Amino acid sequence: MIASSQIKNKNIQMEIEIISFGQIAEFIEHQKIDISGITDTETFKQYIENQFPALKGMKYKLALNKNIVQENTAIKNPATIAIMPPFSGG
Amino acid sequence: MSAERYNRQLILKGFGEEAQQQLLKAKVLVIGAGGLGCPALQYLAAAGIGHIGIVDDDTISLSNLHRQILFTTADIGKLKVEVAAKRLQEMNTQIGIIRHPIRLQQNNILDIISRYDYILDGTDNFESRYLINDACALLNKPLIFAAVAGFEGQLAIFNVPDHLTPSTNYRDLFPIPPDKGEIPNCAENGVIGVLPGIIGSMAAAEIIKLVAKIGQPLTNKILNYNLLTQEQYTINISNGSDYTLPRTVDEFLNMEYQDTSEGPQGYVEIDASELVKLQQTESTILIDVRERHEVPLLDKQIYTQVPMSEFSAFLSKEFYQKHVVLICQHGIRSVAAAEALQEKYGAAKKIYSLKGGIVKWRDHFLRS
């Protein structure tokens, strides 16, 4: 009974999986967040920069469900957001 | 064409004679004969790419050898382009190798890349990467982008349209270059030799796929590779609208690719003897801007630790010392820190950066 009610809850909440690369992965671990207030990529950006202020001064690009985010995009449940910095090494 | 040399790929189902002829006709330019360029060059030459150009103005040093596998200890001090061209020619006598022992700049890059069909960017700095991106976009040259950082790599193909998306370029991902010191490079941060080996080999595979028209190349996609987990994460790239790309040769020549900080530099680059003098000067603070895990560790009684990742917090605080000496591994990040302090304090403080960093003055730091 408990298990099924948890599953129901999960379905109601907004679940976002966060993946990050390079330097950013050093301070943003692979994680899932349950935040119902985040409905688009712009609010996600504000949320994640508040949670991890180090991100504010960095160049990075977001990808929502493996597509690069070029403008504010609605986030539908469930979603995966990748945070990617530029690499230059050779 | 020697059928025997290429026998194993001639008999390969889905490759064969026709694909081999395409390789022999292709002209590929590899920019940077380093960790990415070496393995890419070896496989491109071995596979029978008919014309291979190599651009690099650097000479071989001992610390290159753990990842730049075309070179031997006896090659130290020689031009990378010369040694690479010689080895590759010995390996495959049937192809043409063209040497470009120069540094690509705004005034020579268009001429050079216009002679080739495919360009591989295996350089090690953002200045070159944006220059190459814009030049390839202007001339509509397929660009294979390969880069590494830490234990991860990135690989993408630009300027090649597919059935879903018009062609994309690097600025669709990152419209403007990061600030100096924002992203450490390999010299600053280190790299495990096999990583550029893998990414460079993957880059060669993408070129072979493009030329032979087989499989699904990473067109309008960027692959993120993690060596520690063996995970790959591929992202679709679409066109952004928040950047300007030079559309004509004149516009290209007027772009600013060098470090954008303007005006006379207000900080001073010093050597180890000047460092010693300053150490004995009153009201001096010595700041180590490397991250906390970096070695060699310096005496914290003498060197205050302010890693670059914490530098903006440090800038919001005040300190009393009048002389500020900044130190890092190679003297690159310390320049970025010096510029930031200079901007804040102007003439109120004297700012110094140790040129060449701890690596250059290793003896001094190991003694003290």
Side-chain angles (χ1 to χ4, degrees):
Chain A
M1 284 308 284
I2 292 166
S4 76
S5 77
Q6 273 179 345
I7 289 166
K8 267 184 194 165
N9 265 338
K10 270 205 162 174
N11 286 340
I12 296 160
Q13 282 181 306
M14 175 69 87
E15 187 170 86
I16 300 174
E17 182 178 1
I18 303 173
I19 295 172
S20 58
F21 303 108
Q23 264 195 306
I24 296 172
E26 287 170 21
F27 59 88
I28 304 181
E29 287 175 15
H30 183 197
Q31 57 190 283
K32 285 185 178 177
I33 54 167
D34 273 334
I35 304 284
S36 35
I38 300 176
T39 53
D40 58 38
T41 51
E42 209 44 56
T43 38
F44 173 82
K45 210 169 163 172
Q46 284 162 13
Y47 165 82
I48 201 81
E49 288 192 357
N50 279 332
Q51 291 287 308
F52 302 98
L55 199 59
K56 274 182 200 164
M58 296 176 70
K59 305 276 181 304
Y60 66 90
K61 200 78 176 172
L62 296 180
L64 172 63
N65 299 327
K66 298 197 167 183
N67 291 307
I68 283 292
V69 174
Q70 299 290 17
E71 56 194 15
N72 194 15
T73 310
I75 301 175
K76 291 185 185 110
N77 205 12
T80 303
I81 297 185
I83 311 171
M84 180 174 64
F87 292 176
S88 76
Chain B
M1 180 179 86
S2 160
E4 194 183 342
R5 175 184 291 274
Y6 305 116
N7 174 269
R8 298 301 189 274
Q9 55 200 43
L10 288 172
I11 61 173
L12 177 65
K13 201 177 160 198
F15 201 80
E17 170 91 31
E18 202 181 317
Q20 191 63 53
Q21 287 298 343
Q22 295 301 322
L23 298 193
L24 286 172
K25 273 190 272 175
K27 295 177 183 170
V28 175
L29 182 68
V30 175
I31 308 176
L36 293 161
C38 281
L41 283 164
Q42 283 173 295
Y43 280 112
L44 293 171
I49 295 286
H51 303 268
I52 300 176
I54 314 169
V55 177
D56 203 310
D57 70 335
D58 203 4
T59 54
I60 297 154
S61 58
L62 183 58
S63 67
N64 294 153
L65 298 185
H66 87 300
R67 67 188 186 286
Q68 301 181 15
I69 51 173
L70 271 172
F71 312 131
T72 69
T73 311
D75 296 325
I76 290 169
K78 294 180 188 163
L79 265 177
K80 289 182 181 181
V81 163
E82 289 300 331
V83 177
K86 187 170 172 284
R87 295 270 136 77
L88 296 170
Q89 197 71 81
E90 283 166 0
M91 187 235 281
N92 193 341
T93 50
Q94 297 179 312
I95 58 170
I97 312 274
I98 304 106
R99 299 160 164 87
H100 300 285
I102 54 162
R103 190 173 185 83
L104 287 184
Q105 288 167 328
Q106 265 159 297
N107 59 9
N108 60 19
I109 186 170
L110 296 178
D111 173 45
I112 289 180
I113 67 173
S114 64
R115 304 178 211 170
Y116 294 88
D117 310 319
Y118 301 89
I119 314 297
L120 168 57
D121 176 2
T123 58
D124 62 356
N125 62 86
F126 284 111
E127 196 181 308
S128 300
R129 291 189 180 281
Y130 279 84
L131 177 76
I132 294 164
N133 177 74
D134 292 1
C136 288
L138 179 64
L139 298 182
N140 206 20
K141 289 283 174 188
L143 170 64
I144 293 78
F145 171 93
V148 294
F151 292 99
E152 295 174 49
Q154 290 177 339
L155 187 62
I157 299 174
F158 298 122
N159 304 323
V160 180
D162 60 25
H163 62 288
L164 292 172
T165 319
S167 68
T168 53
N169 74 89
Y170 192 57
R171 288 189 192 264
D172 288 311
L173 293 173
F174 304 106
I176 55 167
D179 298 330
K180 218 181 199 180
E182 190 186 313
I183 309 280
N185 64 20
C186 290
E188 292 274 308
N189 228 18
V191 65
I192 192 157
V194 65
L195 174 69
I198 292 167
I199 303 299
S201 300
M202 282 181 162
E206 290 306 301
I207 292 174
I208 290 168
K209 284 158 64 181
L210 280 174
V211 175
K213 299 185 177 66
I214 57 167
Q216 285 101 42
L218 283 167
T219 309
N220 296 327
K221 291 182 171 70
I222 179 162
L223 178 147
N224 289 268
Y225 172 85
N226 187 321
L227 179 128
L228 294 179
T229 59
Q230 288 292 8
E231 280 179 316
Q232 298 187 9
Y233 194 84
T234 305
I235 295 168
N236 299 310
I237 309 171
S238 51
N239 293 115
S241 55
D242 53 348
Y243 65 87
T244 338
L245 209 55
R247 295 286 170 201
T248 64
V249 173
D250 276 348
E251 278 179 32
F252 176 75
L253 293 174
N254 284 319
M255 293 284 287
E256 182 71 64
Y257 291 100
Q258 275 86 36
D259 177 27
T260 46
S261 61
E262 280 171 10
Q265 72 179 43
Y267 61 90
V268 182
E269 292 197 277
I270 56 167
D271 62 20
S273 66
E274 288 162 297
L275 173 67
V276 172
K277 269 185 228 159
L278 277 162
Q279 234 171 315
Q280 291 152 357
T281 308
E282 232 175 278
S283 193
T284 297
I285 181 172
L286 307 177
I287 301 177
D288 177 2
V289 300
R290 296 174 307 157
E291 299 304 310
R292 294 184 194 279
H293 61 268
E294 289 180 66
V295 289
L297 293 174
L298 301 182
D299 186 346
K300 286 179 193 161
Q301 306 280 353
I302 303 172
Y303 302 94
T304 307
Q305 266 193 312
V306 185
M308 281 310 276
S309 57
E310 300 165 24
F311 211 78
S312 51
F314 174 75
L315 279 173
S316 64
K317 288 184 247 159
E318 292 301 324
F319 56 96
Y320 70 88
Q321 290 93 338
K322 199 168 176 333
H323 301 277
V324 191
V325 184
L326 298 145
I327 295 163
C328 70
Q329 207 76 329
H330 291 266
I332 299 169
R333 283 172 290 176
S334 57
V335 162
E339 283 169 355
L341 281 170
Q342 182 65 35
E343 198 171 305
K344 180 177 175 188
Y345 291 106
K349 288 187 192 293
K350 281 297 284 176
I351 321 278
Y352 307 88
S353 167
L354 181 66
K355 195 172 186 175
I358 294 163
V359 166
K360 177 155 186 192
W361 310 103
R362 184 167 278 271
D363 289 349
H364 166 80
F365 286 98
L366 293 182
R367 239 186 296 125
S368 52

